[in-house]
Amino acid sequence: MAPSRDANVSAGNKTNYKRDISAKVELVIGSRKHANDIFDVLAYLQSDEEKRVVCAAHACCRLFAALLERGDLFVGQLPGEERLLEGSHNPDDKYRMFVRHRYNSCIELLPVLMSRSSALLQETCLCVLMKLAAAEAKHPLQDQSWSEHYNFPRELVQRVVQRLLSDSEDMAMLISRFQEFLEMDDVRFYVINSVRDYVARLVDKHKGSVMPVFQNNVFALLSNINMPSQQSEMSSFMVKPEAKHDDWKAAKLKLSYELVVIYVQLPGNMYKKVLVIFHESILPYMSEPTLMIDFLTAAYDVGGAISLLALNGLFVLIHKHNLEYPDFYKKLYSLMEPSVFHAKYRARFFHLANLFLSSTHLPAYLVAAFAKRLSRLALTAPPAVLLMLLPFICNLICRHPSCRVLIHRPTTAGDPCDDPYIMEEEDPAQCHALDSSLWELKTLQKHYYPDVAKAAMAINQPLSSTEVDVSELLELSPFELMERELKETPSDTVPLEFDSATHLLRSAREVLGAHFSLD
């Protein structure tokens, strides 16, 4: 009969628990007759004291790694523990079954311990589980004839993934520690499959309801996965496969729709986090990227920063997957608001807007509407934005010569403020931009910041057919402008006298003062 947990722990209190645990491990490894001492080591795993549990976890790792290497664990379909005393099993098989059951108990306990608040204990249990996974992969416990998964300890990895994707506890810190193991190609492969299956099962269970903690954990785990390129050779394995299989090709490591369906209903802060990495870390690795059309178009219709971030994903779908979005430019036009100049993702937005407006096949009224709207917004834009915005507008006119009427329209004797452009109109086809002019750029030639005034004067000269590269100006900040001004060397001649002197050593002001004082 195995000793009780309390008896084991109290016995450890009377001696040095580290020495006691280490001694029991050596006894079990040294002789089969001490197999029952495994119960004592496992009892320490259930202790309330963190130090004892950490020490016992390391001891279990050393113990079962040695037993796996020695072949002391039963291989194949494991019968129930109550059937060990029945049947015609020989003593060797009974011993191996007994050790395998104890190993299973350890594997069940370690993920539970990962839910404790101690960061040290969580990290220890995670590392022990992955070390045992490596040992089990080298000495598989399944039938060798089953080669579909290369005898990889898939169930153990699934336990780790399910614990990391907790729906009640933030596991971000532990997931960052897990990133070390995700660098191995086989671990990455099975983690992705486990995440896909677990997410699909949980989403079906909760019927797509919002689960903020779970969603945060899924996002943290996915964003820590560095997917290999299609051409790269996969060479980093926890256990090197003996033969080459097509399943290990990088092209096969695709995320399926079930992996990202959890993102259909997202809290606001998570929406932005997902969209930031969506076009680089998720969309290229999906089996069916077009399944994300509804998700991205819905995000694009939300407005604000979320719409700005959805542009990246939509650009990929439009450019590579022939997505047709009838009101795309109408929505892009509506995003041109004063707030976009102060958004965190301003540089990304204008980079994509520049790409979308680069086609020479766009109708003149559409390009004119964007140029006019940006010109009107430029009247209240900060200098750092204007230094990017003015060349941006000039580039639009350079690409579309039919829009040059906006800067060459003759003035009339009528009211100069009678501008036919309708700023409040959301449809670029109805705003009458082509009937207007870019008088705003003429106004900016009197801007208080000299560099802005100089940039606005570009319309006074014949526009070159070569566009200005605005990529270096997209992330220009007020701090950079201030640094630039401070580094400039002052001129050698600095005017110190406002009124020119009319008498020797006397200014005109002093002469007038003396005259009135005599009177």
Side-chain angles (χ1 to χ4, degrees):
M1 185 70 180
S4 67
R5 173 183 171 233
D6 294 337
N8 290 326
V9 175
S10 61
N13 288 331
K14 298 177 182 178
T15 61
N16 187 311
Y17 66 90
K18 291 184 178 180
R19 189 185 310 160
D20 184 41
I21 294 174
S22 179
K24 291 183 182 297
V25 170
E26 294 299 331
L27 288 173
V28 174
I29 295 176
S31 174
R32 290 187 176 185
K33 66 180 181 180
H34 296 289
N36 277 335
D37 286 339
I38 300 178
F39 283 111
D40 298 338
V41 178
L42 293 178
Y44 277 104
L45 276 180
Q46 304 174 65
S47 172
D48 295 330
E49 296 185 27
E50 177 187 330
K51 294 180 179 179
R52 296 175 183 271
V53 179
V54 170
C55 182
H58 286 298
C60 286
C61 181
R62 184 161 60 94
L63 170 63
F64 289 111
L67 295 178
L68 277 165
E69 184 177 2
R70 201 165 64 187
D72 280 2
L73 273 72
F74 183 79
V75 176
Q77 187 66 33
L78 182 66
E81 194 167 8
E82 67 281 354
R83 298 178 57 187
L84 285 180
L85 300 178
E86 303 174 1
S88 57
H89 300 294
N90 60 55
D92 285 342
D93 284 344
K94 288 184 177 181
Y95 169 75
R96 291 189 177 91
M97 291 177 186
F98 170 81
V99 175
R100 174 79 177 276
H101 278 291
R102 303 290 75 74
Y103 174 73
N104 289 348
S105 299
C106 177
I107 296 302
E108 292 173 0
L109 278 173
L110 290 173
V112 175
L113 294 172
M114 288 169 60
S115 62
R116 292 197 183 181
S117 59
S118 169
L120 174 62
L121 182 56
Q122 289 180 343
E123 182 178 344
T124 299
C125 293
L126 174 65
C127 293
V128 168
L129 282 168
M130 294 310 296
K131 288 178 181 178
L132 290 175
E136 188 177 330
K138 293 178 181 178
H139 310 283
L141 299 177
Q142 300 295 335
D143 188 358
Q144 293 284 355
S145 62
W146 185 55
S147 58
E148 180 185 355
H149 293 285
Y150 313 100
N151 297 308
F152 192 87
R154 190 183 184 189
E155 293 183 1
L156 199 156
V157 171
Q158 285 178 338
R159 289 179 182 271
V160 174
V161 169
Q162 291 177 15
R163 186 58 237 159
L164 292 176
L165 300 183
S166 170
D167 58 356
S168 60
E169 183 181 358
D170 183 8
M171 306 295 285
M173 292 297 295
L174 198 58
I175 289 173
S176 64
R177 179 66 178 84
F178 187 61
Q179 186 177 7
E180 170 191 338
F181 305 101
L182 292 174
E183 297 300 322
M184 291 179 279
D185 297 312
D186 49 355
V187 175
R188 185 195 306 117
F189 179 84
Y190 289 107
V191 166
I192 288 175
N193 285 323
S194 298
V195 172
R196 179 195 61 202
D197 296 339
Y198 187 59
V199 166
R201 188 164 64 251
L202 215 63
V203 168
D204 183 64
K205 178 181 177 181
H206 293 275
K207 304 301 180 184
S209 60
V210 178
M211 296 174 285
V213 177
F214 175 70
Q215 290 170 330
N216 276 303
N217 288 330
V218 172
F219 174 79
L221 183 56
L222 291 182
S223 59
N224 275 287
I225 295 179
N226 297 318
M227 298 291 288
S229 64
Q230 298 290 339
Q231 293 79 19
S232 65
E233 176 132 5
M234 303 174 68
S235 57
S236 176
F237 292 91
M238 177 182 282
V239 178
K240 186 75 174 179
E242 296 180 359
K244 292 185 178 180
H245 298 272
D246 289 339
D247 285 347
W248 288 111
K249 290 182 180 179
K252 295 279 185 172
L253 287 179
K254 293 284 189 177
L255 302 182
S256 67
Y257 177 58
E258 288 82 6
L259 187 60
V260 289
V261 72
I262 189 65
Y263 297 140
V264 172
Q265 296 186 11
L266 293 172
N269 61 336
M270 181 59 61
Y271 226 136
K272 295 179 182 179
K273 290 180 180 179
V274 170
L275 289 172
V276 166
I277 68 167
F278 197 85
H279 65 291
E280 291 181 347
S281 302
I282 297 178
L283 201 57
Y285 303 104
M286 290 188 62
S287 314
E288 298 290 340
T290 53
L291 291 173
M292 286 290 98
I293 290 177
D294 291 340
F295 170 73
L296 288 173
T297 52
Y300 192 51
D301 292 336
V302 170
I306 291 178
S307 292
L308 302 186
L309 294 174
L311 274 176
N312 272 110
L314 283 176
F315 174 74
V316 174
L317 293 179
I318 291 173
H319 181 65
K320 295 184 178 181
H321 301 282
N322 301 320
L323 168 65
E324 294 185 6
Y325 193 115
D327 295 329
F328 176 80
Y329 283 99
K330 182 178 178 181
K331 181 63 179 179
L332 183 63
Y333 180 76
S334 67
L335 291 178
M336 301 290 184
E337 298 177 345
S339 59
V340 77
F341 298 143
H342 308 280
K344 180 179 179 180
Y345 310 103
R346 182 191 73 200
R348 175 183 293 194
F349 172 73
F350 279 100
H351 169 71
L352 291 172
N354 189 44
L355 290 176
F356 287 126
L357 296 172
S358 61
S359 174
T360 56
H361 299 288
L362 293 176
Y365 79 85
L366 183 65
V367 178
F370 278 94
K372 180 62 179 179
R373 188 174 185 87
L374 290 174
S375 298
R376 182 65 62 85
L377 294 175
L379 293 175
T380 56
V385 174
L386 287 173
L387 291 178
M388 175 274 300
L389 198 59
L390 293 173
F392 189 96
I393 296 172
C394 291
N395 286 346
L396 290 179
I397 299 175
C398 287
R399 293 172 195 155
H400 304 271
S402 57
C403 292
R404 296 194 179 189
V405 66
L406 295 175
I407 58 176
H408 294 299
R409 189 178 301 282
T411 58
T412 61
D415 187 358
C417 294
D418 186 15
D419 191 342
Y421 174 70
I422 306 174
M423 183 69 177
E424 295 75 18
E425 176 60 52
E426 296 181 356
D427 188 354
Q430 304 296 328
C431 66
H432 303 290
L434 268 179
D435 299 330
S436 181
S437 65
L438 300 185
W439 58 264
E440 296 89 351
L441 301 189
K442 194 71 175 178
T443 303
L444 290 172
Q445 293 179 3
K446 303 295 184 181
H447 197 274
Y448 69 89
Y449 190 63
D451 289 352
V452 171
K454 182 179 179 180
M457 288 181 183
I459 63 169
N460 294 343
Q461 306 297 327
L463 292 179
S464 172
S465 58
T466 305
E467 296 183 11
V468 179
D469 184 11
V470 297
S471 59
E472 297 181 357
L473 303 173
L474 292 175
E475 298 186 8
L476 193 63
S477 65
F479 177 77
E480 293 179 72
L481 294 184
M482 181 64 70
E483 288 291 310
R484 183 191 301 177
E485 294 295 330
L486 292 176
K487 289 179 181 178
E488 287 188 0
T489 56
S491 175
D492 294 336
T493 58
V494 180
L496 300 177
E497 185 68 39
F498 180 78
D499 296 324
S500 59
T502 57
H503 293 72
L504 184 63
L505 302 179
R506 298 178 68 185
S507 67
R509 186 176 298 171
E510 291 174 332
V511 172
L512 290 174
H515 174 73
F516 286 114
S517 64
L518 289 175
D519 293 343

